[in-house]
């Protein structure tokens, strides 16, 4: 009977998202038809009290997973910045989330309904529910003014969202907060290297625990309330008598700081997450005997030390860990066996390119990989690994057989687009490769770095090097007839080059910021340029005459792209938006909103039916585009 009830509850949970609809369709902005990628993991993960669900903070919202199967159950959106963390109330009815938008949101954990927004919380770093769920404590690391950071703990009424009181006393930012199991005491850890205990009802300061020699990043009471654990950047965990404040023991072993601590439900085990150096910074979890301090085992596998999180299931059998390697891993707590990896989350998406037939979309990411997606369904086809730095740019060859990727590891890699096989590596650049582009006739590949290099596309032979810009070259684009190359640079100029001779033809001046993107119109008569001066400029390619300046973005223009019929120009910006413009008149047609971070790349599909936008929020949005109506099809 218990199994039946549990299955029924899971079926009823978030009924809209539990349908056959794929999660790439959930919580889409108006006009978008799909989302590729889940955004990147930005904060902690939390088990629901009944152990059936995992909530995870991401750059696009809060993902809810089935804790047993790893299946996506829901995506909660509403925050206007990265979600930094999540926490369930003790009864599992409410979910709290906090964000870089300086708010805390409370949600009905069963329906996903937004209940309250707690404003004035500044940059929240940690929250904790009281055992009865009536009070929420929050800490902030927000920089206020020349006096420094917010050094307070705030207590909120969860039923009304009202601020109850503010606790003052720490002399540094407060990084973590935790209620005792009886709700009488509140512990807070700070960058002032101390832990403070407070009367949770009156806000009175009870005592200060000294001993750590660096920031205290995490505090947690044992389930029986007898012990308090604190993790610190001094590489240690300290255990304290929660009633007297007496230091019980110090747990040493982490080598790069302890970011998080968590007790098992039976008080016997303590999990600590930290950054351990073994050739590189790797995020590891250590399990300790909570009574003796004996080190039991170390769980390794995450490949990035940033954004660590640890959460034990309510029955103590499973440990969930999250990291900025963009995975959540589930471990058997007793043996350390890896049970499951929840993936699909990615780092910043820096570039993308449609295959010539429009069936495949390639994305380059700051997780050092290139990913190939089925453009119609959003299915991830394969991941290409090999670069040792951020992948900044990708481009398909005109026949679709080859994919080029440029990286901050100073190289260009060529891949078989069908199999993902690495074909060759083009070396020679002495800096980050910012842009790559094949010529329309497929014979030449251009790559941009401190200068521009032209390569024979089939053999990888270096043909020539184009020098002249006085700053990094950020973008390259061939004219439709392959005879001319346009380059945009950090020196605020655009240059045109003869691709056969390498001769410099002309320079376009006018931008007052870095030129980050260049794109020829399909007929080759017009060049569009996007700049960090917040504008798009259109130029006559033959005469070099400035035609018009398109204004409206409130941030750097990172990418520009013409529709295949040349009628529309799309621009992506650091103001998080995509703008559509009439390419002939310069009239602003529409603004597409939906990304949570900088839009790094925009591109039309070859048939003009879809506009793709990539963002540092770790996703690509696909927008249905109708060149005749200039409006997304709903």
């Amino acid at each position: 009977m218990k199994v039946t009830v549990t299955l029924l509850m899971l079926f009823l949970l978030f009924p809209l998202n539990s349908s056959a609809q794929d999660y790439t369709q959930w919580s889409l902005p108006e006009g978008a038809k799909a989302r590729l990628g889940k955004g990147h993991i930005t904060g902690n993960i939390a088990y629901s009290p009944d152990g059936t669900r995992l909530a995870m903070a991401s750059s696009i919202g809060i993902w809810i997973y089935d804790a047993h199967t790893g299946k996506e159950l829901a995506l909660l959106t509403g925050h206007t910045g990265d979600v930094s963390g999540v926490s369930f109330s003790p009864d599992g009815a409410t979910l709290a989330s906090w964000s870089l938008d300086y708010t805390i949101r409370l949600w009905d954990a069963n329906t996903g309904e937004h209940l309250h927004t707690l404003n004035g919380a500044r940059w929240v770093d940690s929250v904790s529910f009281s055992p009865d769920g009536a009070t929420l404590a929050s800490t902030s690391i927000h920089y206020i003014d020349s006096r420094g950071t917010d050094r307070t703990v705030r207590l909120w009424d969860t039923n009304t969202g009202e601020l109850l009181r503010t606790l003052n006393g720490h002399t540094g930012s407060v990084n973590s907060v935790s209620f005792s199991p009886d709700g009488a005491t509140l512990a807070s850890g700070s960058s002032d290297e101390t832990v403070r205990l407070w009367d949770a009802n009156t806000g009175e300061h009870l005592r200060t625990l000294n001993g750590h020699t660096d920031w205290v990043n995490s505090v947690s009471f044992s389930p029986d309330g007898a012990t308090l654990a604190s993790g610190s950047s001094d590489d240690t965990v300290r255990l304290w008598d929660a009633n007297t404040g007496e230091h019980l023991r110090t747990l040493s072993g982490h080598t790069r700081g302890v970011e998080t601590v968590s007790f098992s439900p039976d008080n016997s085990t303590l999990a600590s997450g930290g950054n351990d150096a073994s050739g590189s910074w790797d995020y590891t979890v250590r399990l300790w005997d909570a009574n003796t301090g004996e080190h039991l085992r170390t769980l390794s596998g995450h490949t990035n030390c940033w954004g660590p999180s640890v959460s034990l299931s309510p029955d103590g059998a499973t440990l969930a860990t999250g990291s900025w390697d963009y995975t959540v891993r589930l471990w058997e707590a007793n043996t350390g066996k890896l049970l499951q990896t929840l993936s699909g989350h990615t780092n910043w998406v820096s570039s993308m390119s449609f295959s010539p037939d429009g069936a495949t979309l390639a994305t380059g990411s700051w997780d050092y990989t290139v990913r190939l997606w089925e453009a119609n369904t959003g299915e991830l086809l394969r991941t290409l690994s090999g670069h040792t730095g951020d992948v900044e740019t990708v481009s398909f060859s005109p026949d679709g057989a080859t994919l080029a990727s440029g990286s901050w590891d100073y190289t260009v890699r060529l891949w078989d687009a069908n199999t993902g096989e690495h074909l060759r590596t083009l070396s020679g650049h002495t800096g980050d490769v910012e842009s790559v582009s094949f010529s329309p006739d497929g014979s030449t590949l251009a790559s941009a770095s401190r200068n521009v290099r032209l390569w024979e596309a089939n053999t990888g032979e270096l043909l020539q090097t184009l020098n002249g810009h006085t700053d990094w070259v950020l973008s390259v684009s061939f004219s439709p007839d392959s005879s001319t190359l346009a380059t945009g640079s950090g020196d605020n100029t655009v240059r045109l080059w003869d691709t056969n001779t390498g001769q410099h033809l002309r320079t376009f001046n006018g931008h007052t910021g870095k030129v980050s993107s260049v794109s020829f119109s399909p007929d080759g008569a017009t060049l569009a340029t996007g700049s960090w001066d917040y504008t798009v400029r259109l130029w006559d390619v033959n005469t070099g005459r400035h035609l018009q300046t398109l204004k409206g973005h409130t941030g750097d223009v990172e990418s520009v792209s013409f529709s295949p019929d040349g009628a529309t120009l799309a621009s992506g910006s650091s103001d998080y938006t995509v703008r559509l413009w009439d390419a002939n008149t310069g009239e602003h047609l529409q603004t597409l909103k939906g990304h949570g971070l900088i839009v790094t790349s925009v591109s039309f599909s070859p048939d003009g039916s879809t506009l793709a936008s990539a963002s540092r929020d770790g996703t690509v949005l696909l927008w249905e585009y109708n060149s005749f109506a200039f409006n997304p099809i709903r």
Side-chain angles (χ1 to χ4, degrees):
M1 181 64 181
K2 182 177 179 181
V3 173
T4 303
V5 172
T6 300
L7 289 174
L8 179 61
M9 288 299 294
L10 285 174
F11 177 76
L12 292 175
L13 179 69
F14 305 110
L16 292 178
N17 288 352
S18 298
S19 69
Q21 187 185 48
D22 187 82
Y23 70 82
T24 62
Q25 310 293 310
W26 294 351
S27 301
L28 291 174
E30 185 179 9
K33 61 181 181 179
R35 179 189 291 109
L36 311 186
K38 299 178 181 178
H40 55 262
I41 297 172
T42 53
N44 67 331
I45 52 181
Y47 271 100
S48 60
D50 63 4
T52 61
R53 289 164 286 163
L54 271 175
M56 192 201 68
S58 84
S59 58
I60 62 171
I62 303 108
W63 284 95
I64 310 294
Y65 287 95
D66 184 308
H68 302 300
T69 66
K71 179 178 174 57
E72 303 86 357
L73 296 176
L75 172 62
L76 309 183
T77 60
H79 283 294
T80 57
D82 285 1
V83 181
S84 306
V86 288
S87 179
F88 281 96
S89 61
D91 63 2
T94 306
L95 180 71
S97 61
W98 55 102
S99 165
L100 298 188
D101 64 11
Y102 297 177
T103 69
I104 299 170
R105 286 188 169 231
L106 300 181
W107 313 80
D108 184 304
N110 293 314
T111 67
E113 177 190 1
H114 172 233
L115 302 175
H116 296 290
T117 298
L118 312 184
N119 293 296
R122 298 195 174 94
W123 193 333
V124 179
D125 196 40
S126 174
V127 305
S128 177
F129 280 97
S130 61
D132 63 5
T135 305
L136 186 75
S138 69
T139 71
S140 173
I141 58 172
H142 181 61
Y143 182 84
I144 301 175
D145 53 29
S146 58
R147 294 172 298 166
T149 57
D150 182 354
R151 299 160 182 165
T152 67
V153 178
R154 295 178 178 225
L155 300 181
W156 310 82
D157 185 305
T158 58
N159 293 314
T160 66
E162 176 190 0
L163 177 63
L164 299 175
R165 63 180 57 89
T166 301
L167 311 183
N168 295 284
H170 280 295
T171 59
S173 61
V174 187
N175 304 320
S176 181
V177 67
S178 178
F179 278 96
S180 61
D182 63 5
T185 306
L186 185 72
S188 57
S190 169
S191 64
D192 64 12
E193 303 176 5
T194 71
V195 177
R196 285 189 170 233
L197 300 182
W198 315 80
D199 185 299
N201 295 311
T202 66
E204 177 190 0
H205 172 235
L206 301 177
R207 61 181 56 88
T208 299
L209 312 183
N210 295 288
H212 282 298
T213 59
D214 209 329
W215 288 26
V216 179
N217 301 313
S218 181
V219 291
S220 180
F221 281 95
S222 60
D224 62 7
T227 307
L228 178 72
S230 57
S232 169
S233 295
D234 65 11
D235 304 348
T236 70
V237 177
R238 286 188 171 234
L239 300 182
W240 314 81
D241 185 298
N243 295 312
T244 65
E246 177 190 359
H247 173 234
L248 301 176
R249 59 184 56 87
T250 299
L251 312 182
S252 300
H254 286 291
T255 59
R256 295 283 188 180
V258 180
E259 300 292 337
T260 180
V261 290
S262 179
F263 281 93
S264 63
D266 65 0
N267 298 290
S268 65
T269 306
L270 180 73
S272 60
N275 309 324
D276 292 327
S278 57
S280 63
W281 283 22
D282 295 326
Y283 176 51
T284 66
V285 176
R286 288 180 178 247
L287 300 181
W288 314 82
D289 186 300
N291 297 310
T292 66
E294 177 190 1
H295 174 234
L296 301 176
R297 63 185 57 88
T298 298
L299 310 182
S300 301
H302 285 295
T303 57
N304 193 302
C305 65
W306 298 106
S309 177
V310 172
S311 182
L312 276 159
S313 61
D315 62 5
T318 308
L319 183 73
T321 61
S323 162
W324 272 20
D325 64 4
Y326 311 107
T327 65
V328 174
R329 295 178 183 235
L330 303 182
W331 313 79
E332 189 174 89
N334 291 324
T335 65
K337 177 185 176 183
L338 179 62
L339 300 174
Q340 192 173 4
T341 299
L342 310 184
S343 58
H345 295 276
T346 59
N347 200 338
W348 295 356
V349 180
S350 53
S351 179
M352 64 186 174
S353 177
F354 276 101
S355 60
D357 62 5
T360 306
L361 188 71
T363 58
S365 171
W366 281 26
D367 63 7
Y368 299 5
T369 69
V370 176
R371 292 177 187 239
L372 299 180
W373 310 81
E374 211 289 330
N376 292 317
T377 66
E379 178 189 358
L380 177 62
L381 300 176
R382 60 182 57 89
T383 299
L384 313 183
S385 300
H387 280 295
T388 58
D390 303 332
V391 179
E392 189 66 15
T393 177
V394 291
S395 180
F396 276 98
S397 61
D399 63 3
T402 306
L403 181 73
S405 58
S407 168
W408 285 12
D409 64 10
Y410 299 6
T411 71
V412 176
R413 285 188 170 233
L414 299 182
W415 313 83
D416 185 301
N418 295 311
T419 66
E421 178 190 358
H422 172 234
L423 301 176
R424 62 182 58 86
T425 299
L426 311 183
S427 301
H429 282 296
T430 58
D432 305 335
V433 179
E434 300 285 348
S435 181
V436 294
S437 181
F438 282 95
S439 60
D441 64 10
S443 65
T444 308
L445 178 72
S447 58
S449 181
R450 296 180 189 272
N451 52 28
V452 177
R453 289 183 171 232
L454 300 183
W455 313 82
E456 210 288 333
N458 294 316
T459 65
E461 176 191 358
L462 178 63
L463 300 175
Q464 51 193 323
T465 301
L466 310 182
N467 295 294
H469 282 294
T470 58
D471 202 331
W472 290 73
V473 184
L474 304 177
S475 181
V476 292
S477 179
F478 283 93
S479 61
D481 64 3
S482 301
S483 66
T484 306
L485 183 74
T487 58
S489 169
D491 63 12
N492 303 353
T493 71
V494 178
R495 288 185 172 233
L496 297 185
W497 312 80
D498 184 299
T499 56
N500 293 314
T501 65
Q503 178 187 359
H504 170 234
L505 301 176
R506 61 178 54 90
T507 299
F508 297 163
N509 294 289
H511 280 298
T512 58
K514 298 176 185 293
V515 180
S516 53
S517 182
V518 293
S519 179
F520 280 94
S521 60
D523 63 5
T526 306
L527 184 74
T529 58
S531 169
W532 286 14
D533 62 11
Y534 299 5
T535 71
V536 177
R537 286 185 173 235
L538 299 180
W539 312 81
D540 185 297
V541 172
N542 294 318
T543 65
R545 181 169 64 95
H546 171 235
L547 300 175
Q548 52 193 321
T549 299
L550 313 184
K551 297 180 179 180
H553 281 296
T554 57
D556 303 333
V557 178
E558 298 286 344
S559 180
V560 291
S561 178
F562 281 95
S563 60
D565 63 4
T568 307
L569 182 73
S571 56
S573 169
S574 65
D575 64 11
Y576 303 1
T577 71
V578 177
R579 285 187 170 235
L580 300 180
W581 314 82
D582 185 299
N584 295 312
T585 66
E587 177 191 359
H588 172 236
L589 302 173
Q590 194 165 352
T591 299
L592 307 181
K593 299 179 180 180
H595 284 296
L597 283 174
I598 295 171
V599 179
T600 56
S601 182
V602 290
S603 180
F604 285 91
S605 61
D607 65 2
S609 65
T610 303
L611 175 68
S613 58
S615 169
R616 288 188 182 178
D617 66 12
T619 69
V620 174
L621 286 173
L622 302 182
W623 311 83
E624 192 133 12
Y625 172 75
N626 184 328
S627 61
F628 298 102
F630 297 114
N631 284 303
I633 299 173
R634 305 295 184 237

